[in-house]
Structure formats: structure tokens, C-alpha cells
Amino acid sequence: GIQVEQSPPDLILQEGANSTLRCNFSDSVNNLQWFHQNPWGQLINLFYIPSGTKQNGRLSATTVATERYSLLYISSSQTTDSGVYFCAVFYTGGFKTIFGAGTRLFVKA
Amino acid sequence: KAGVTQTPRYLIKTRGQQVTLSCSPISGHRSVSWYQQTPGQGLQFLFEYFSETQRNKGNFPGRFSGRQFSNSRSEMNVSTLELGDSALYLCASSLQGHEETQYFGPGTRLLVL
């Protein structure tokens, strides 16, 4: 089945710093998503990015589908960025989303 | 438009009991999926429903079951609870034909004692 791997598993940043989170996936996919899970457990959609680059404020994401990876960039990090970031792939044949293990981010004030 | 809602938000049960969790999707969304999140196993797919039909089921024992009603609301049931069933249970909904974009509810935190 499809494997989704994320790195790093944990990340501690000083407020204002930039970071890059990586997601590798095992098979050719065309429907990659990034989520942020806040400390209360809510999963929030950040990007649906099967390929190319998208930006939303201080966040941007790039997916290179041919090389089977995606990157999430966080610039000028804030304490509210803390939480767990997941990348996920939707398996069309099974109507299910396969999640990576997540990157746990803590931004210090 | 209201988001995905889940009830109850928190639940404490004891081993051997059963539990029913409820999920109301975003208006117009007919696909509902359930996921279990634990520290050890991460986010794992439980099942997906569309038009009251289960289209797929994850690798969970038969104690885990679900259903969907004609108004797209969904319930999941766990019978004979075990300590390992303690988890955050997340529900997601999506539009027909756009199931790759899922919107998640706030989850139900279940603690089994």
C-alpha cells in the first residue's frame, strides 16, 4: 500500500524562525494534502496540493509528484503555529486518506 | 456554512461497555469517513460511508461498526470496549466526486478505564 513518511518528527523553533517540513510518499499520487492539528485536536486543512506550489500567508507548499515528495514552508513562525503537521494522501480506490506520522512543531516565544 | 460536528466531545467508559459516537457532516456532503488517532498508531482509517453504504473499512476488529443515515449523518459504535480503544475519534466529510478533500470535525476523546 501507499506509504507516507514525514520528517523531521519533532521541531523546536524560536519565534520568527523559518522551517521546512518534508513529506515523502511511496507511489504516484495526485491528491496530497497538508493539515495542521491544533493542541485541541482539530485537524485544519492547509493545502490541497497534488503538484506545483501554493502560498497562503506565511505558509507555502510545493509538491513534486514525479519525485514523490512535498514540502511545507513556514516563515516567520509564531507560537500559534505550534501543533502537529500532517501530510496525507487520498487513496482513490479505497476512499480513504493515508496519513503520515506527523511533524510535531513547538514554537517558543 | 456549519462545519463537521461530532458528539459527544468527551467520553469516559469502562472496559466491556459499548459506545456510540455521532457525526454530522457539512451540509451537502454525502461522504463521511471515520479515523482513530492514538499516540502509538497515529491516524488510522476506520471506515467510509456514502449514501448509507459502507464503501471501505480499515483493518479494525468487528467490534468497530458504523452506519450512515439518509440525511448523511453517521454513527460509529464500539462494543466490548478495551483499554486500547482509548483514542481521539475523528470524523470527516467531503463532497461527492471530491472525496480527496476532507473536512474534519473536532473529534471525540474516548477514555476507557
Side-chain angles (χ1 to χ4, degrees), chain A residues 2 4 9 23 26 30-31 41-42 51 66 68 75 80 91 97 101 103 106:
Chain A
I2 299 172
V4 181
C23 173
S26 60
N30 61 355
N31 48 43
Q42 176 77 56
S51 64
T66 53
R68 302 179 183 175
S75 63
T80 52
Y91 174 47
T97 297
T103 291
F106 179 67

Side-chain angles (χ1 to χ4, degrees), chain A residues 30-31 33 35 37-45 48 84 86 90-91 93-101, chain B residues 4 9-10 33 35 37 42-45 48 55-58 88 90 99-107 109:
Chain A
N30 61 355
N31 48 43
Q33 275 189 280
F35 293 90
Q37 186 170 41
N38 65 24
W40 296 271
Q42 176 77 56
L43 270 172
I44 300 164
N45 303 62
Y48 171 71
V84 184
F86 291 98
F90 183 74
Y91 174 47
F95 296 103
K96 67 179 183 180
T97 297
I98 299 167
F99 287 85
Chain B
V4 178
R9 293 292 311 280
Y10 304 92
S33 303
Y35 296 83
Q37 185 177 23
L43 276 154
Q44 292 189 290
F45 171 77
E48 190 266 358
R55 293 197 290 192
N56 195 12
K57 188 178 194 296
L88 177 66
L90 291 162
E99 287 87 353
E100 72 281 357
T101 305
Q102 299 193 312
Y103 297 88
F104 283 81
R109 289 193 183 275

Side-chain angles (χ1 to χ4, degrees), chain A residues 6-11 20-22 102-104:
Chain A
Q6 292 185 244
S7 60
D10 297 282
L11 190 57
T20 301
L21 283 58
R22 186 177 178 100
T103 291
R104 185 174 298 276

